[in-house]
């Protein structure tokens, strides 16, 4: 099987009508590790918006249960990408997400921005660090896929084209990325969560590496220090070298989604009914019935 066999399959599909199939191949076969990393950056970017960080900080989930909050968010997104938004599991994941969001006063503009990060951060990451560039079908399919998810989340005024939505994403960041204390608290909680995955003696050394993966505007919005330039070069060069090395590997024969592996919060596996803040689970699960 050729290294580019999946790409050829994708290029024969329609990005509008076949977007679920394309996203499944794109995220599960072609770039599974890259998609996970890019969505971590996407979530990090949303914490640079003071209105978003203030709401998330108020829930206290990041202070008390950061790993579960991370795992639940990642698994809900992965469920939708793996199964599609109209599958039984995809619909249940979206209903669950909508119920949780419905308990808070979230502006449509903030919803739109968060949705836009799910469209564009994976594309930007893969084009920068992936083993190949994304193709037009993948870019458009990712847009159409998340646009349909946004419709099911009752988000209003989603732009009609890939270019318009990308411009919204860029303009929103330019206007709304500002430092706030809640940004800083969420950024520190997320940083410390990532560092907790490594042995304690490595964490002081790795902390500047977290900063190196963020762009200048993100660091300023969090109030994070700017790392030495050489460290940023090492981080980005290492990721690019990884991508070049992966070109030598055969194509993946089995999909690789977060849903397929034990997670730190769920070492023995999980059910969709496990996902959500503990104080909401009973109401969530009754709502799903």
């Amino acid at each position: 099987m050729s290294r580019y066999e999946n790409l050829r399959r994708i290029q024969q599909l329609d990005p509008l009508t076949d977007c679920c199939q394309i996203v499944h191949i794109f995220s599960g076969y072609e770039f599974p590790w890259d998609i996970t990393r890019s969505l971590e950056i996407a979530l990090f970017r949303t914490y640079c918006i003071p209105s978003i960080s203030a709401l998330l900080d108020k829930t206290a989930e990041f202070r008390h249960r950061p790993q579960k909050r991370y795992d639940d968010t990642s698994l809900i997104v992965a469920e939708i990408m793996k199964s599609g938004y109209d599958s039984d599991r995809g619909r249940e994941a979206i209903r669950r997400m909508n119920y949780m969001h419905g308990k808070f006063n979230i502006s449509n503009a903030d919803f739109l921005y968060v949705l836009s990060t799910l469209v564009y951060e994976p594309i930007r990451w893969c084009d920068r660090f992936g083993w190949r560039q994304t193709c037009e079908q993948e870019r458009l399919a990712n847009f159409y896929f998340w646009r349909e998810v946004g419709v099911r989340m009752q988000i209003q005024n989603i732009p009609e084209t890939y270019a318009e939505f990308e411009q919204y994403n860029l303009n929103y960041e330019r206007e709304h990325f500002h430092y706030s204390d809640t940004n800083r608290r969420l950024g520190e909680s997320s940083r410390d969560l990532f560092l907790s995955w490594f042995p304690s003696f490595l964490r002081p050394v790795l902390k500047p590496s977290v900063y190196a993966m963020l762009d200048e505007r993100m660091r300023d919005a969090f109030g994070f220090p700017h790392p030495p330039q050489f460290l940023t070069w090492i981080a980005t060069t290492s990721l690019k070298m990884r991508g070049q090395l992966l070109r030598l590997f055969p194509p993946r024969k089995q999909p690789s989604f977060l849903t397929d592996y034990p997670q730190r919060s769920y070492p023995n596996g999980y059910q969709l009914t496990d996902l959500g803040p503990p104080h909401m689970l009973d109401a969530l699960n009754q709502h799903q019935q």
Side-chain angles (χ1 to χ4, degrees):
M1 187 175 178
S2 164
R3 186 69 174 104
Y4 293 90
E5 184 65 26
N6 285 327
L7 173 61
R8 285 193 284 269
R9 285 175 59 200
I10 288 171
Q11 289 175 325
Q12 293 170 2
L13 297 171
D14 185 295
L16 176 59
T17 59
D18 301 320
C19 63
C20 289
Q21 185 178 353
I22 293 174
V23 166
H24 180 87
I25 300 170
F26 173 65
S27 56
Y29 287 85
E30 294 290 86
F31 300 101
W33 186 87
D34 298 277
I35 296 297
T36 299
R37 302 287 82 76
S38 69
L39 292 177
E40 288 169 353
I41 296 296
L43 289 174
F44 238 126
R45 298 192 82 83
T46 66
Y47 308 155
C48 296
I49 308 289
S51 57
I52 295 175
S53 68
L55 185 150
L56 294 172
D57 183 65
K58 187 176 180 180
T59 69
E61 290 295 312
F62 281 87
R63 289 194 295 277
H64 302 312
R65 288 173 288 271
Q67 185 65 63
K68 179 172 168 53
R69 176 64 167 72
Y70 169 86
D71 288 338
D72 287 359
T73 301
S74 301
L75 288 169
I76 285 176
V77 172
E79 286 280 358
I80 299 168
M81 291 191 299
K82 179 181 180 179
S83 302
Y85 45 73
D86 275 339
S87 67
D88 289 343
R89 292 187 71 87
R91 287 197 297 267
E92 185 176 348
I94 293 171
R95 285 197 299 266
R96 205 164 189 83
M97 180 169 57
N98 286 344
Y99 182 85
M100 288 185 280
H101 288 160
K103 299 300 179 182
F104 304 99
N105 184 22
I106 306 172
S107 74
N108 190 71
D110 282 349
F111 266 131
L112 267 177
Y113 173 68
V114 174
L115 187 70
S116 75
T117 66
L118 300 176
V119 176
Y120 299 104
E121 288 308 311
I123 299 298
R124 292 164 183 165
W125 178 286
C126 292
D127 282 344
R128 190 179 182 193
F129 300 124
W131 66 271
R132 65 167 173 82
Q133 297 284 291
T134 60
C135 67
E136 182 179 14
Q137 286 85 353
E138 288 166 328
R139 293 190 291 272
L140 291 178
N142 210 46
F143 164 70
Y144 289 128
F145 180 89
W146 287 111
R147 192 179 192 282
E148 283 301 313
V149 173
V151 170
R152 287 155 176 78
M153 294 173 64
Q154 301 181 346
I155 300 176
Q156 305 299 309
N157 304 318
I158 306 174
E160 295 286 341
T161 70
Y162 182 97
E164 287 177 315
F165 203 19
E166 184 173 30
Q167 194 59 56
Y168 178 90
N169 170 272
L170 297 172
N171 291 344
Y172 208 73
E173 289 190 355
R174 193 176 300 114
E175 182 177 352
H176 294 279
F177 268 31
H178 301 293
Y179 171 82
S180 74
D181 289 341
T182 54
N183 290 4
R184 178 182 53 78
R185 285 196 290 271
L186 260 65
E188 289 174 347
S189 293
S190 299
R191 176 203 65 198
D192 293 344
L193 173 64
F194 296 152
L195 293 174
S196 73
W197 302 341
F198 298 92
S200 56
F201 71 91
L202 286 177
R203 294 171 195 169
V205 179
L206 292 174
K207 184 185 289 188
S209 299
V210 176
Y211 304 145
M213 294 308 303
L214 310 178
D215 62 43
E216 184 174 350
R217 284 196 301 169
M218 292 177 71
R219 291 191 291 261
D220 289 344
F222 286 128
F224 285 166
H226 289 226
Q229 194 168 13
F230 79 88
L231 189 59
T232 301
W233 180 87
I234 290 172
T236 56
T237 301
S238 298
L239 288 168
K240 289 177 181 179
M241 289 177 64
R242 173 191 172 275
Q244 293 174 358
L245 181 63
L246 284 180
R247 293 177 191 172
L248 306 177
F249 283 56
R252 186 179 294 277
K253 295 183 179 180
Q254 298 295 327
S256 178
F257 290 93
L258 281 179
T259 56
D260 302 324
Y261 303 99
Q263 302 300 311
R264 290 175 175 84
S265 300
Y266 308 104
N268 299 314
Y270 73 97
Q271 302 293 327
L272 281 172
T273 51
D274 297 324
L275 305 183
H279 68 278
M280 278 192 188
L281 284 180
D282 287 343
L284 262 170
N285 295 331
Q286 289 175 6
H287 176 73
Q288 295 295 99
Q289 294 174 357

